[in-house]
Amino acid sequence: MITLNDKIYTCPVDVTLGLIGGKWKLLILFHLHYFTRKSYSDLKANLPRVSEKMLSQQLKELERDKLILKNQLSVKPYRVEYSLTERGKSLGPLYEFISKWGIDYLMENNIDYIKDQHLYK
């Protein structure tokens, strides 16, 4: 067993899934990988089904785990920008693989995401 940050993991894969698992974290990391920097409102717009509370919580956890950086741009109005840390960037091959796998799967199901990606945010 592995103990890290007061959590017990069974193996390195469990550690990785603990850091990026769940519905929203990997999507947040993916958007930051492709767009380098995003404001809170940009992330929210690209994840329309996420609640404000859940997005805030996931961002705090990713920041705590040193996968993203939060840069405060202004106090009034409160504006922040998020970007990947070097550790977050190191997951780039994973984001690329998952994206390509998804595109291939869509193509097999007669959905051409590449041709129609302007329809998506």
Side-chain angles (χ1 to χ4, degrees), residues 93-112:
L94 176 65
Y95 313 136
E96 297 285 341
F97 175 80
I98 290 174
S99 179
K100 181 171 179 345
W101 191 94
I103 290 168
D104 291 346
Y105 186 82
L106 290 170
M107 295 288 267
E108 289 172 10
N109 287 278
N110 300 315
I111 299 170
D112 192 346

Side-chain angles (χ1 to χ4, degrees), residues 66-78:
K66 299 180 177 106
L67 296 176
I68 65 171
L69 291 173
K70 177 180 174 181
N71 181 22
Q72 185 174 332
L73 301 174
S74 65
V75 177
K76 288 196 177 194
Y78 184 69

Side-chain angles (χ1 to χ4, degrees), residues 2-120:
I2 303 164
T3 303
L4 177 67
N5 299 329
D6 299 324
K7 294 182 183 176
I8 297 174
Y9 300 97
T10 59
C11 66
V13 171
D14 194 17
V15 172
T16 304
L17 290 176
L19 296 173
I20 66 169
K23 185 172 183 177
W24 304 110
K25 286 183 182 178
L26 194 54
L27 290 172
I28 292 166
L29 293 167
F30 169 80
H31 283 289
L32 293 175
H33 173 72
Y34 277 97
F35 299 103
T36 309
R37 299 183 183 289
K38 284 236 180 225
S39 68
Y40 180 90
S41 59
D42 288 338
L43 288 168
K44 178 75 174 114
N46 281 284
L47 304 169
R49 295 181 319 267
V50 70
S51 69
E52 299 270 337
K53 179 181 176 183
M54 181 58 69
L55 180 57
S56 293
Q57 178 184 334
Q58 299 294 280
L59 289 167
K60 285 177 187 171
E61 289 177 13
L62 289 167
E63 186 180 10
R64 177 201 67 206
D65 294 332
K66 299 180 177 106
L67 296 176
I68 65 171
L69 291 173
K70 177 180 174 181
N71 181 22
Q72 185 174 332
L73 301 174
S74 65
V75 177
K76 288 196 177 194
Y78 184 69
R79 289 190 55 233
V80 296
E81 183 177 75
Y82 294 93
S83 61
L84 293 176
T85 62
E86 288 305 313
R87 176 57 61 196
K89 289 176 186 176
S90 73
L91 289 166
L94 176 65
Y95 313 136
E96 297 285 341
F97 175 80
I98 290 174
S99 179
K100 181 171 179 345
W101 191 94
I103 290 168
D104 291 346
Y105 186 82
L106 290 170
M107 295 288 267
E108 289 172 10
N109 287 278
N110 300 315
I111 299 170
D112 192 346
Y113 174 80
I114 300 299
K115 184 181 101 187
D116 297 330
Q117 69 179 310
H118 67 280
L119 301 173
Y120 309 98

